Amino acid sequence: MALTAITLLCFAALLPFPGLGDRDHSGEQGPVLVKVDVTNKFTNTILSYSTSVPKGMPMFGVLNKLQDSQSLNFTYSISKSYGIYLESVNGVAGSVANHTYWELLSKKGKSVRSLDVGIGCYQPKRNEIFIMNFTRWD
């Protein structure tokens, strides 16, 4: 029941109405160019992808589009409590034993911030780079 409520709230935020789910809505409609960087601090690698998607598409949809059309590959699981959880990117999976995970970040200009929602609810914005950063927690 809680998962249903969370899912409905996320989908409601994604409806194509001006202002819903988008705090810095500019009034512009149409496609959004989404840039995605996959970084791995352990191997010092950065892979970049980009695609154009309808405004309001969640990152889960963006990642599926990239998986269908480019060499990006990802896996996920669905938590009854928290929704879609990113497990692996391009064959690299997080590990509880090694304290590693995929951190989700947003870069706009010089500012980089951690996201407070996952790929199921997050909507990328214009002039932003979505970063999936393979890292470790302490």
Side-chain angles (χ1 to χ4, degrees):
M1 185 64 169
L3 177 60
T4 303
I6 291 170
T7 303
L8 289 175
L9 288 173
C10 285
F11 286 127
L14 300 177
L15 292 173
F17 296 110
L20 280 183
D22 189 357
R23 286 179 252 159
D24 54 325
H25 179 71
S26 64
E28 296 178 34
Q29 294 298 312
V32 174
L33 175 64
V34 180
K35 296 178 182 178
V36 177
D37 282 352
V38 177
T39 64
N40 184 329
K41 78 175 218 169
F42 306 110
T43 61
N44 286 328
T45 57
I46 300 175
L47 298 172
S48 296
Y49 305 88
S50 64
T51 189
S52 186
V53 298
K55 183 171 176 51
M57 178 180 279
M59 275 312 298
F60 182 68
V62 173
L63 294 176
N64 275 297
K65 183 176 180 184
L66 288 170
Q67 185 164 254
D68 290 344
S69 65
Q70 297 184 29
S71 58
L72 176 75
N73 188 356
F74 77 103
T75 62
Y76 63 93
S77 62
I78 299 177
S79 163
K80 290 183 179 182
S81 300
Y82 300 107
I84 301 170
Y85 178 77
L86 183 64
E87 290 185 334
S88 74
V89 179
N90 295 335
V92 179
S95 164
V96 172
N98 295 326
H99 293 209
T100 55
Y101 73 107
W102 285 98
E103 176 183 33
L104 305 179
L105 305 166
S106 168
K107 181 177 182 181
K108 199 160 191 174
K110 294 181 181 180
S111 174
V112 177
R113 67 176 180 91
S114 292
L115 300 182
D116 55 1
V117 296
I119 60 173
C121 291
Y122 187 72
Q123 297 175 21
K125 296 165 186 58
R126 284 181 171 79
N127 304 317
E128 166 191 53
I129 299 173
F130 180 79
I131 302 169
M132 295 184 291
N133 180 43
F134 192 64
T135 189
R136 177 184 316 249
W137 80 83
D138 295 323

